[in-house]
Amino acid sequence: VTGELTFGWTDDSGSFETYDTSASVVSTGRWQHKCAVRASANSVALYVGGSSLSATSIAGDVAITTTPGSIAIGRAGGLNLQYFDGKIDDARIYNRALTADEIKQLYQLGGTVLR
């Protein structure tokens, strides 16, 4: 849905899990900081501008594994037909769940750079 922030992933078997914001939080024409944290199964937090938003599970339940796999940012899972229509800068993936304070620090750091 236009303006909603979605975070999801698939495993090697094709199973998928997706979380979505309940409101339109993505604006056009300006830089925005977005972050998603999955700390454990059924535990996802979405952040916009350093602030936490409620996220609703809309599909699936994929176990967290340590098996390396392919990564796609800005694409709707394995569907090669839905892509993010914008620019993505400074995408990061961490091997641990960030805290809310760390996410706020990253947001503030990004805001100091002229866009």
Side-chain angles (χ1 to χ4, degrees):
V1 176
T2 301
E4 292 179 352
L5 177 61
T6 300
F7 174 67
W9 57 94
T10 60
D11 65 13
D12 292 337
S13 72
S15 296
F16 65 96
E17 187 168 353
T18 307
Y19 288 80
D20 207 349
T21 59
S22 59
S24 179
V25 297
V26 179
S27 300
T28 59
R30 65 184 183 93
W31 176 86
Q32 290 180 297
H33 180 264
K34 311 280 191 295
C35 184
V37 176
R38 182 178 189 219
S40 63
N42 301 318
S43 174
V44 171
L46 299 178
Y47 293 80
V48 174
S51 298
S52 178
L53 302 171
S54 62
T56 304
S57 175
I58 57 175
D61 185 15
V62 178
I64 296 175
T65 66
T66 57
T67 305
S70 60
I71 296 173
I73 297 173
R75 184 182 79 185
L79 305 174
N80 288 318
L81 51 98
Q82 295 177 331
Y83 293 90
F84 175 72
D85 186 18
K87 295 179 182 179
I88 297 174
D89 180 36
D90 197 17
R92 300 177 186 196
I93 299 172
Y94 293 84
N95 64 354
R96 63 181 179 80
L98 299 179
T99 67
D101 286 341
E102 289 173 318
I103 292 166
K104 286 180 187 176
Q105 288 174 348
L106 287 170
Y107 168 66
Q108 291 168 347
L109 177 66
T112 62
V113 178
L114 182 59
R115 304 263 177 204

